[in-house]
Amino acid sequence: SLKRVTRLELLYTVGRDFNCACALRLVFSLIQCRSSINNFNDTIKQCRLCLNTLSAVSLNDSRVFAFTEELRDAASLYHMFPDVADVVQLRSQLLNWYQREKRELPWRTLAVTESDLNIRTYAVWVSEIMLQQTQVATVIDYYNRWWLWINKFVNLQEVNQMWAGLGYYSRGKRLHEGAQKVVSELRGQMPQSVDRLLKELPGVGRYTAAAVGSIALGEVTGTVDGNVVRVLCRLRAIGADCTSPAVTEALWSLANTLVDPERPGDFNQAMMELGARVCTPKAPVCNQCPIQTHCRSYHKVDGLCWSCSVLGDIEDCTVNSGTCSLCPSEPWDDELGVQNFPRKPTRKPPRMERTLTCVVSRSGGDGEDEVLLQRRPNKGLLAGLWEFPSLLLDEGTSERKQKMALSDEVSRILGTHLSDTLLQYVGEVVHVFSHIHQTYVVYSMCLKEADAHSHTGNTQWLSHRALQEAAVSTGQKKVCVCDVCKNKKKSPVCKKPRVGGAKSGGRQLCLTSFLTSVKDQSV
């Protein structure tokens, strides 16, 4: 490593005939060690001044700029792991922690115990698709049910029925399409490399292919999901927009550098486990982190210096002057601590929508009431799922016009004429999708047997009990709960203006919380 010396000492250390490039490297590092200069233009001037003082060969601007560009690339090593010994140590620390602390999950057990390569690869693929944008605790039950239902998956409707409530329904569709392709085009053989997984299975992207390849097939490749992004950004103080191309490629490069060649699947799962349980988005538990000694963000919070053999002892990347593509553009916030990283772009607020929804009921053959459902289009949001008759509500529409439009829609579905006087206002239910803040304005309509016959192939009548097992979204189940409570006159949450009233503030309630809220308030 570079010995710290003063500029005066440098004059005695470096001779008149010292190689210009070596002198410039030394001077550059010296200036960065001994001052707070972060601006490259100022650094260039300082380098030129020192070299002229040494009576070294005069350097023109182009050579100086060319060399500082080279050093700029070297400076990015600050965000990487240039020392092999550090990489080896990190692998050992992380894998030892994972061996002690890992959660026993059904897909992990199957990946270890299943000897059939096709089944093992398929099992990991299913788990990775289910885990996208979904918490582990939620996925476990669905994953176990998947294996119980797998022989029933004749068509997409059966898949949607099992998937109901898990969200992001296009994932189930992609799994179904992929399985069909494996059977019909790949002769029942799952792709057995990362490249083939990426090319041959619909809906499989870079992360999923790498995860399946490393865990099921033992291929040596890193993975980068949301948890890993957070861990790596904090480890190497990467504060630029984590969705930018430069940061994305840097993170994949880091992941591929760090992955253990002997245990790639365990290492990648350990990184994800660390992000999920220790290096969390909020309130990270840094004192429990097994790789804390490698974390630049933690060192900054803890007041320690960071050292680099090229850059000397500094607090920030040497090119942090607006030119480093990995450094944050905003200053460090002491209150956030390690949560300064990663930096994400401001999310666009969800689109506000209001939808007229009608729970149409009739008396069933066994005495249990049935409700009318229609199937959504095969493309778009909630594709192919069942829902109550609905219409998107235009702002400013009077209640009278709302009821007329909704009764016309129900009449169209049933092939009859129904008066809007049959509609009874129930309440409002809020459900938030990733990009839509949906408010269902709920009405109910109770029909006589003569009016209750649908005339299209995309409708069906289901009992409330059967509806809970059907391919129906969580939002629609909330609507059903609201209607049932209103009819039983037990729930004040279905009164105007919205479910939960002022207490919920129009926030989305998960289905379990929704039911609990109804029960609590009906006592």
Side-chain angles (χ1 to χ4, degrees), residues 28 32 37-38 40 71 75 78 311 314 316-321:
F28 184 92
Q32 291 295 342
I37 295 173
N38 286 318
F40 258 85
L71 280 175
Y78 167 82
L311 306 175
I314 54 176
D316 294 298
C317 172
T318 58
V319 295
N320 187 10
S321 59

Side-chain angles (χ1 to χ4, degrees), residues 198 203 330 507:
L198 194 58
E330 300 175 5
R507 292 180 293 106

Side-chain angles (χ1 to χ4, degrees), residues 76 97 118 196 229 328 372 400 405 420 456 474:
S76 67
W97 171 84
N118 276 313
R196 287 189 59 203
V229 166
L372 177 65
R400 172 64 177 167
D420 59 13
T456 68
T474 301

Side-chain angles (χ1 to χ4, degrees), residues 23 35 57-58 60 94 118 258 269 295 373 421 429 454 518:
S35 71
V57 176
S58 178
N60 59 39
L94 183 61
N118 276 313
L258 295 176
Q269 290 181 94
C295 184
L373 297 173
T421 59
V429 173
S454 59
V518 169

Side-chain angles (χ1 to χ4, degrees), residues 190-211:
M190 288 290 295
Q192 295 181 8
S193 72
V194 171
D195 288 341
R196 287 189 59 203
L197 287 163
L198 194 58
K199 293 176 182 177
E200 297 178 5
L201 293 183
V204 170
R206 188 177 184 180
Y207 161 74
T208 303

Side-chain angles (χ1 to χ4, degrees), residues 331-512:
W332 173 272
D333 186 336
D334 288 331
E335 292 186 2
L336 289 176
V338 299
Q339 294 177 59
N340 277 276
F341 307 108
R343 299 284 177 90
K344 297 181 179 180
T346 303
R347 290 186 61 180
K348 185 179 179 181
R351 183 173 74 249
M352 307 295 290
E353 283 190 1
R354 293 174 65 82
T355 299
L356 289 171
T357 302
C358 186
V359 180
V360 183
S361 61
R362 72 177 186 182
S363 179
D366 57 358
E368 185 178 0
D369 284 351
E370 296 176 335
V371 292
L372 177 65
L373 297 173
Q374 63 177 354
R375 185 180 294 163
R376 289 183 60 85
N378 289 326
K379 294 184 179 180
L381 183 67
L382 307 176
L385 298 188
W386 295 92
E387 67 175 2
F388 297 108
S390 302
L391 284 175
L392 193 62
L393 178 60
D394 294 328
E395 289 296 328
T397 305
S398 67
E399 184 174 351
R400 172 64 177 167
K401 288 184 177 180
Q402 291 179 23
K403 295 177 70 174
M404 290 177 62
L406 195 55
S407 64
D408 287 346
E409 175 65 10
V410 175
S411 297
R412 181 191 67 79
I413 294 171
L414 296 176
T416 187
H417 176 72
L418 298 171
S419 171
D420 59 13
T421 59
L422 295 173
L423 291 170
Q424 299 294 317
Y425 178 80
V426 175
E428 295 186 0
V429 173
V430 174
H431 187 74
V432 182
F433 299 95
S434 59
H435 59 294
I436 299 175
H437 185 283
Q438 181 67 260
T439 300
Y440 295 105
V441 182
V442 185
Y443 288 85
S444 65
M445 178 184 287
C446 187
L447 298 182
K448 299 176 182 178
E449 184 64 29
D451 299 322
H453 296 284
S454 59
H455 288 269
T456 68
N458 288 327
T459 59
Q460 63 174 336
W461 292 91
L462 288 180
S463 67
H464 288 284
R465 187 180 308 170
L467 183 142
Q468 299 305 314
E469 301 298 325
V472 176
S473 70
T474 301
Q476 294 293 301
K477 289 179 180 179
K478 289 181 183 179
V479 169
C480 182
V481 170
C482 184
D483 176 65
V484 170
C485 292
K486 180 70 173 182
N487 290 336
K488 291 183 178 181
K489 298 181 180 180
K490 284 187 177 182
S491 176
V493 299
C494 295
K495 294 181 179 179
K496 282 189 177 182
R498 61 181 77 252
V499 174
K503 186 175 180 179
S504 74
R507 292 180 293 106
Q508 169 178 235
L509 298 173
C510 69
L511 186 57
T512 310

